[in-house]
């Protein structure tokens, strides 16, 4: 991070918005409280709204946790905060911001800029940053880092345009593209599990694995955010970024080291081996209200007043992807994500092939290695065992590493805590590089354009259900066996 005599300015663009109050300020507070970031950091909120620092603080209040012991530190945190009202496109406002940074953090401060703003202003904000707010004069060791969050464009073309724009202003080392799934404990753990053990490596391939299912389910709908969501749809919102990033970490070869670029090189290679997705390998759904449901569940996607009438934007998607390399040829990677489903769950399910030369007269069921991302972080392996006791029969059970049991009381930081700390430290390991992004869009753009052009009607599914039945058929077609005979039971500690 640098020596303690250095000072830091953390600027939050979009300080009046939702992301800032729900995530960014609360995360900065936690990092400050825990001494994870230097105490000589100054926080500057910037937005168009006419607000005071105290009003920003009030807006954040419902989302921060402050104990009585923390109260003094919390007051300190807000004393180190400032708020500046300004436009996103006027140079003189950015000059004022620069003066405020100089006054509050000092001329030699390192600068972190977090763009929690609408993508329509990404370009003007970054151009003005470059023009007026960079750290130091070059060569004095101070640095500038810019953090941006999706959407990084809507397709290959718009994303390439944004990437070109950013590359004309900042070197890649100064750009931190957040995919917050890369900040999650179990997503990060994919590397340790795969490359820190001897046991999994030899079977991690097409000879042993039948299919890989990467799944994201949410039990709520668009919650009034439908206007925004409708422009993007679930594929852009979750699949093209969060699920694809997980796929890369599951499928990549062992990197030469844990250096950020060695890892990202391997992820890019996976993407380069993937063909563009086609509509015939996809199931699309849209939720309808459940007349017997309660509250929001009564309403379907189209009942959200912010969603355009008759929208065919999918709120559920299942897609089958393939990686054409020696390790994965023929293994379906099934990506599934959906809103308003029966549960909240994100997991990776690696299903092994059937046992060869089975002597148990077909009683064996496939092994599965499950990496549960959330809720209740866990890794468990579904295995067959002898029914305990006199019987010589077989039954399913699991080898279970449930974090809540094994690591009782361990604090698992939130994804944003890890990622913002990484930005301070300058570690890009868990951030998306521009070539990775370009490949991700290459894979999804033809499908997204086809959906937009042909407007296939998504299959309706009921709010709170498992999603369209057609998705189960797709799973079966793609070498994923669902037995329905066994369910992991959540330990009582969770
Ligand atoms: C965001 C999506 O990127 O991820 C949201 O825009 C989604 O639609 C969210 O709800 C899920 O994140 P998490 O961390 O709650 O699983």
């Amino acid at each position: 991070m640098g020596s303690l005599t250095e000072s830091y300015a953390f600027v939050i663009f979009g300080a009046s918005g939702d992301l800032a109050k729900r995530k960014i300020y609360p995360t900065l507070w936690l990092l400050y409280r825990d001494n994870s970031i230097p105490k000589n950091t100054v926080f500057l909120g910037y937005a168009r709204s006419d607000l005071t620092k105290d009003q920003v603080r009030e807006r954040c209040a419902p989302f921060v946790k402050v104990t009585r012991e923390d109260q003094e530190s919390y007051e300190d945190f807000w004393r180190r905060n400032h708020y500046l009202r300004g436009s996103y496109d006027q140079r003189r406002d950015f000059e004022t911001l620069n003066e405020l940074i100089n006054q509050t953090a000092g001329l030699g401060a390192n600068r972190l800029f977090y763009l929690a703003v609408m993508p329509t202003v990404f370009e003007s904000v970054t151009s003005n940053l470059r023009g007026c707010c960079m750290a130091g004069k070059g060569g004095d060791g101070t640095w500038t880092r810019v953090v941006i969050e999706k959407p990084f464009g809507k397709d290959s073309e718009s994303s390439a345009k944004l990437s070109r724009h950013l590359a004309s202003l900042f070197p890649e080392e100064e750009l931190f593209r957040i995919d917050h799934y890369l900040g999650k404990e179990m997503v990060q753990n994919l590397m340790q599990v795969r490359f820190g053990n001897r046991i999994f490596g030899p079977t991690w391939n097409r000879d042993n694995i039948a299919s890989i299912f990467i799944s994201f389910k949410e039990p709520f709908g668009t919650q009034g955010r439908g206007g925004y969501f409708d422009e993007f749809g679930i594929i852009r919102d979750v699949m093209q970024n969060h699920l694809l990033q997980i796929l890369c970490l599951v499928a990549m070869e062992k990197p030469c080291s844990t250096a950020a670029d060695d890892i990202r090189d391997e992820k890019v290679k996976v993407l380069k081996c993937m063909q563009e997705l086609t509509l015939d390998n996809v199931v699309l759904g849209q939720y309808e209200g459940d007349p017997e449901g309660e509250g929001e569940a009564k309403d379907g996607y189209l009942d959200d007043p912010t969603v355009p009438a008759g929208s065919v934007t999918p709120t559920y998607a299942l897609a089958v992807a393939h990686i054409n390399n020696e390790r994965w040829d023929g293994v379906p990677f099934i990506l599934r994500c959906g809103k308003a489903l029966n549960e909240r769950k994100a997991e990776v399910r690696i299903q092994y092939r059937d046992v060869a030369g089975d002597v148990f007269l077909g009683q064996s069921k496939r092994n599965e290695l499950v990496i549960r991302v959330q809720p209740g972080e866990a890794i468990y392996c579904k295995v067959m065992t002898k029914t305990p006791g006199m019987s010589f029969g077989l039954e399913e059970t699991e080898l279970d590493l449930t974090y809540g049991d094994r690591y009782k009381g361990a604090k698992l930081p939130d994804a944003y805590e890890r990622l913002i700390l990484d930005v301070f430290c300058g570690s890009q390991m868990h951030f998306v590089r521009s070539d990775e992004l370009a490949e991700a869009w290459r894979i999804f753009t033809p499908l997204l354009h086809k959906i937009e052009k042909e407007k296939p009607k998504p299959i309706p599914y009921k709010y709170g259900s498992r999603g369209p039945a057609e998705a189960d058929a797709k799973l079966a077609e793609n070498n994923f066996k669902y037995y329905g005979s066994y369910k992991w039971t959540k330990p009582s500690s969770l």
Side-chain angles (χ1 to χ4, degrees), residues 23 149-150 179-181 184 216-218 220-221 223 225 228-229 234 236-238 241-242 339 344 346 373-374 414-416:
K23 280 286 176 201
E149 272 211 56
K150 77 173 164 68
D179 181 313
H180 80 284
Y181 266 61
K184 293 193 185 262
F216 165 101
K217 290 162 109 184
E218 263 179 357
F220 46 82
Q223 297 183 313
R225 222 176 123 239
Y228 162 83
F229 183 89
I234 195 77
R236 288 187 178 95
D237 193 42
V238 174
N241 34 73
H242 305 328
K339 295 212 171 254
R344 174 167 185 255
V373 175
Q374 65 188 33
D414 174 75
Y416 279 88

Side-chain angles (χ1 to χ4, degrees), residues 170-436:
F170 309 101
E172 187 68 26
E173 306 80 71
E174 291 181 354
L175 289 170
F176 289 72
R177 289 179 201 83
I178 285 207
D179 181 313
H180 80 284
Y181 266 61
L182 291 178
K184 293 193 185 262
E185 180 75 23
M186 301 312 282
V187 175
Q188 296 197 349
N189 195 12
L190 282 164
M191 283 217 14
Q192 277 78 353
V193 167
R194 288 192 56 198
F195 305 126
N197 292 299
R198 180 74 197 237
I199 195 167
F200 302 117
T203 58
W204 209 263
N205 54 41
R206 63 192 298 272
D207 298 333
N208 296 285
I209 293 176
S211 56
I212 296 187
F213 186 25
I214 303 173
S215 155
F216 165 101
K217 290 162 109 184
E218 263 179 357
F220 46 82
T222 45
Q223 297 183 313
R225 222 176 123 239
Y228 162 83
F229 183 89
D230 201 74
E231 239 192 273
F232 295 93
I234 195 77
I235 297 179
R236 288 187 178 95
D237 193 42
V238 174
M239 190 185 278
Q240 182 264 2
N241 34 73
H242 305 328
L243 300 192
L244 194 63
Q245 283 293 329
I246 296 178
L247 176 146
C248 287
L249 291 167
V250 170
M252 72 182 188
E253 298 300 315
K254 188 190 279 189
C256 343
S257 78
T258 55
D261 277 332
D262 286 341
I263 296 172
R264 299 191 295 181
D265 285 348
E266 293 306 332
K267 286 163 71 187
V268 172
K269 280 191 214 158
V270 170
L271 296 172
K272 283 190 168 163
C273 291
M274 289 173 70
Q275 281 176 357
E276 288 91 32
L277 291 169
T278 54
L279 200 50
D280 49 335
N281 267 327
V282 171
V283 175
L284 301 174
Q286 188 185 73
Y287 67 90
E288 311 187 298
D290 173 7
E292 274 131 51
E294 279 171 27
E296 201 206 44
K298 285 202 184 312
D299 293 333
Y301 179 67
L302 297 178
D303 299 317
D304 180 334
T306 62
V307 170
S311 164
V312 289
T313 298
T315 59
Y316 177 104
L318 181 145
V320 184
H322 284 96
I323 301 170
N324 182 28
N325 65 14
E326 199 170 1
R327 185 183 292 276
W328 296 117
D329 191 5
V331 179
F333 281 75
I334 306 157
L335 307 178
R336 187 268 304 273
C337 47
K339 295 212 171 254
L341 294 174
N342 57 336
E343 59 183 343
R344 174 167 185 255
K345 189 163 89 174
E347 67 177 25
V348 180
R349 193 167 283 265
I350 294 159
Q351 190 171 88
Y352 284 77
R353 289 178 179 275
D354 293 316
V355 163
D358 183 23
V359 292
F360 293 107
L361 310 173
Q363 284 182 70
S364 289
K365 292 181 178 133
R366 289 179 171 182
N367 292 135
E368 281 181 359
L369 176 68
V370 182
I371 294 120
R372 179 185 272 255
V373 175
Q374 65 188 33
E377 289 83 353
I379 301 178
Y380 60 96
C381 188
K382 277 174 61 177
V383 294
M384 302 304 297
T385 191
K386 176 181 157 315
T387 305
M390 280 299 202
S391 160
F392 194 61
L394 263 185
E395 66 177 47
E396 293 169 278
T397 185
E398 81 277 300
L399 303 174
D400 186 8
L401 172 62
T402 293
Y403 276 41
D405 276 352
R406 179 65 182 78
Y407 300 119
K408 277 202 180 70
K411 179 182 173 286
L412 301 180
D414 174 75
Y416 279 88
E417 266 177 88
R418 293 177 212 262
L419 296 177
I420 291 182
L421 184 56
D422 280 348
V423 181
F424 269 89
C425 297
S427 164
Q428 291 189 306
M429 183 192 292
H430 306 298
F431 293 83
V432 181
R433 207 168 61 185
S434 68
D435 52 348
E436 234 176 308

Side-chain angles (χ1 to χ4, degrees), residues 28-287:
L28 289 171
W29 151 239
L30 291 179
L31 291 169
Y32 182 82
R33 181 197 66 184
D34 297 343
N35 291 316
S36 303
I37 55 175
K39 283 283 186 241
N40 51 349
T41 303
V42 170
F43 307 96
L44 295 118
Y46 183 104
R48 287 180 297 208
S49 313
D50 192 7
L51 290 174
T52 61
K53 173 175 91 173
D54 288 338
Q55 286 169 319
V56 175
R57 177 175 170 164
E58 272 164 39
R59 288 174 176 221
C60 298
F63 307 101
V64 288
K65 283 185 224 102
V66 188
T67 63
R68 202 189 297 191
E69 296 80 65
D70 293 337
Q71 199 56 49
E72 210 181 306
S73 171
Y74 191 57
E75 293 305 324
D76 277 348
F77 171 71
W78 281 103
R79 267 194 288 278
R80 304 195 67 79
N81 260 274
H82 302 267
Y83 177 79
L84 180 66
R85 177 190 182 187
S87 70
Y88 292 128
D89 55 358
Q90 298 294 313
R91 187 179 167 96
R92 64 168 188 282
D93 291 340
F94 285 78
E95 286 167 353
T96 311
L97 172 63
N98 189 46
E99 279 160 30
L100 185 62
I101 298 174
N102 288 341
Q103 278 163 23
T104 55
L107 280 169
N110 296 309
R111 299 170 178 212
L112 302 91
F113 297 100
Y114 199 112
L115 271 68
V117 288
M118 291 297 286
T120 44
V121 301
F122 279 176
E123 298 200 0
S124 64
V125 170
T126 46
S127 295
N128 281 305
L129 276 185
R130 177 80 234 178
C132 312
C133 303
M134 299 296 283
K137 296 171 204 69
D140 65 353
T142 50
W143 46 254
T144 301
R145 293 178 187 148
V146 179
V147 188
I148 53 173
E149 272 211 56
K150 77 173 164 68
F152 307 121
K154 287 192 75 181
D155 55 14
S156 287
E157 201 185 320
S158 51
S159 178
K161 180 168 171 280
L162 176 63
S163 293
R164 277 196 303 273
H165 169 83
L166 293 172
S168 74
L169 304 173
F170 309 101
E172 187 68 26
E173 306 80 71
E174 291 181 354
L175 289 170
F176 289 72
R177 289 179 201 83
I178 285 207
D179 181 313
H180 80 284
Y181 266 61
L182 291 178
K184 293 193 185 262
E185 180 75 23
M186 301 312 282
V187 175
Q188 296 197 349
N189 195 12
L190 282 164
M191 283 217 14
Q192 277 78 353
V193 167
R194 288 192 56 198
F195 305 126
N197 292 299
R198 180 74 197 237
I199 195 167
F200 302 117
T203 58
W204 209 263
N205 54 41
R206 63 192 298 272
D207 298 333
N208 296 285
I209 293 176
S211 56
I212 296 187
F213 186 25
I214 303 173
S215 155
F216 165 101
K217 290 162 109 184
E218 263 179 357
F220 46 82
T222 45
Q223 297 183 313
R225 222 176 123 239
Y228 162 83
F229 183 89
D230 201 74
E231 239 192 273
F232 295 93
I234 195 77
I235 297 179
R236 288 187 178 95
D237 193 42
V238 174
M239 190 185 278
Q240 182 264 2
N241 34 73
H242 305 328
L243 300 192
L244 194 63
Q245 283 293 329
I246 296 178
L247 176 146
C248 287
L249 291 167
V250 170
M252 72 182 188
E253 298 300 315
K254 188 190 279 189
C256 343
S257 78
T258 55
D261 277 332
D262 286 341
I263 296 172
R264 299 191 295 181
D265 285 348
E266 293 306 332
K267 286 163 71 187
V268 172
K269 280 191 214 158
V270 170
L271 296 172
K272 283 190 168 163
C273 291
M274 289 173 70
Q275 281 176 357
E276 288 91 32
L277 291 169
T278 54
L279 200 50
D280 49 335
N281 267 327
V282 171
V283 175
L284 301 174
Q286 188 185 73
Y287 67 90

